[in-house]
């Protein structure tokens, strides 16, 4: 487990869960994790994870 967003305490695992729920943009990751962007430094890391992971059809929608 690695912290991606220190301001909100969002981990890489939470980013991947959000992706499984259909998140395709950092804004959607924040929303599904129940947070909003603070300083914005992690947006680049979230975007890198989103781009590095092949998209699958959403398994579960919140």
């Amino acid at each position: 487990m690695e912290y991606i967003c220190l301001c909100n305490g969002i981990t890489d695992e939470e980013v991947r869960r959000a992706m499984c729920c259909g998140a395709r943009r950092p804004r959607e990751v924040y929303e599904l994790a129940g947070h909003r962007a603070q300083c914005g430094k992690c947006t680049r890391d979230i975007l890198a994870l989103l781009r590095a992971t092949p998209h699958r059809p959403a398994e579960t929608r919140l």
Side-chain angles (χ1 to χ4, degrees), residues 3 7 12-13 21 25 35-36 38 41 49 51 59 62:
Y3 282 96
C7 295
D12 58 335
E13 293 173 4
C21 291
R25 295 184 172 101
H35 300 287
R36 60 187 176 96
Q38 300 293 318
K41 289 181 181 178
L49 270 174
R51 289 179 176 165
E59 296 167 2
L62 295 179

Side-chain angles (χ1 to χ4, degrees), residues 44-58:
R44 189 176 328 152
D45 294 330
I46 293 172
L47 193 55
L49 270 174
L50 291 168
R51 289 179 176 165
T53 306
H55 294 294
R56 299 182 299 193

Side-chain angles (χ1 to χ4, degrees), residues 20-41:
C20 286
C21 291
R24 299 293 178 254
R25 295 184 172 101
R27 176 180 45 86
E28 296 167 342
V29 172
Y30 290 120
E31 185 179 308
L32 288 169
H35 300 287
R36 60 187 176 96
Q38 300 293 318
C39 73
K41 289 181 181 178

